Amino acid sequence: MKGIVFTEFLELVEDKFGLEMVDNIITSSTLESGGIYTAVGTYSFSEMLQLLTHLSENTGISIDNLLLVYAEHFFSVIENSYPGLLATYNDPIEMISSIENHIHVEVRKIYPDAELPTFEVVEKTENSLVLIYTSSRAMHHFGLGLMNKTFAHFNATATIDLQKIKEDGTEVRFVINKN
């Protein structure tokens, strides 16, 4: 997992819960990196899982809800760092439906060893989209948060229904209907 995901996560934890919480979740975890991350480094997903688990235990907020909030924060990083990517699109349905064939292609140019989920477009109309998300990491709520912020970015709203195809969350159907 790319370091930017860790550095931004810890920045969000500090902003929302304080530096003491950052220290607490790092020291409570067994991290090969020692909790020291660089944006361009690559780290084990198990480290992120430990940090999320300890943050959840300390705050009483579910991991899914933490991922949702984190994704909304991470979208602002994308907005600030890659405005040209977002400017390519005029509509949230178009942007979300292009995750696999455009956005992830661009991510791989910057981070060639990034391990990204897949998003298969099953059905697409002007106002609706059905996607199948597949990832061994089961971070579907991170995807949901990015989708929510995509609609907000375009001053639009949508109903996004998340349906677990596999109980462990490694395969999920997103049914998106633009309001």
Side-chain angles (χ1 to χ4, degrees):
M1 183 170 262
K2 295 314 295 179
I4 190 169
V5 178
F6 288 88
T7 59
E8 290 299 330
F9 175 73
L10 293 175
E11 185 176 306
L12 176 67
V13 173
E14 183 178 350
D15 289 349
K16 299 286 186 190
F17 304 104
L19 193 54
E20 189 176 314
M21 181 65 77
V22 172
D23 187 53
N24 186 354
I25 64 172
I26 289 173
T27 57
S28 299
S29 302
T30 307
L31 306 172
E32 190 177 314
S33 68
I36 301 166
Y37 304 102
T38 64
V40 295
T42 302
Y43 307 93
S44 171
F45 173 66
S46 69
E47 293 197 18
M48 178 57 74
L49 194 54
Q50 288 180 69
L51 295 170
L52 281 165
T53 300
H54 289 118
L55 183 59
S56 177
E57 289 169 356
N58 280 284
T59 61
I61 302 169
S62 73
I63 290 175
D64 282 349
N65 284 337
L66 289 171
L67 284 170
L68 195 65
V69 170
Y70 175 45
E72 292 173 356
H73 164 80
F74 200 79
F75 191 88
S76 67
V77 173
I78 296 167
E79 278 181 311
N80 294 329
S81 301
Y82 307 103
L85 180 66
L86 298 179
T88 306
Y89 300 97
N90 298 314
D91 176 79
I93 295 284
E94 283 302 316
M95 184 170 164
I96 293 169
S97 67
S98 74
I99 293 170
E100 195 64 33
N101 296 322
H102 179 234
I103 296 170
H104 280 178
V105 170
E106 295 301 316
V107 170
R108 283 191 178 90
K109 288 178 184 175
I110 301 165
Y111 303 109
D113 58 344
E115 297 174 29
L116 303 170
T118 61
F119 290 87
E120 175 193 350
V121 175
V122 176
E123 184 181 318
K124 179 183 168 195
T125 68
E126 186 178 332
N127 293 308
S128 68
L129 183 63
V130 178
L131 296 171
I132 303 295
Y133 159 96
T134 307
S135 173
S136 62
R137 295 189 172 102
M139 291 179 61
H140 43 78
H141 271 69
F142 187 78
L144 178 60
L146 290 174
M147 290 177 202
N148 287 337
K149 288 303 275 187
T150 299
F151 277 90
H153 175 79
F154 289 101
N155 296 314
T157 58
T159 304
I160 304 175
D161 185 32
L162 183 153
Q163 305 162 350
K164 287 185 179 178
I165 296 169
K166 292 187 177 174
E167 193 54 41
D168 65 358
T170 58
E171 193 172 350
V172 171
R173 177 181 294 108
F174 286 102
V175 179
I176 304 167
N177 289 295
K178 193 173 172 184
N179 297 332

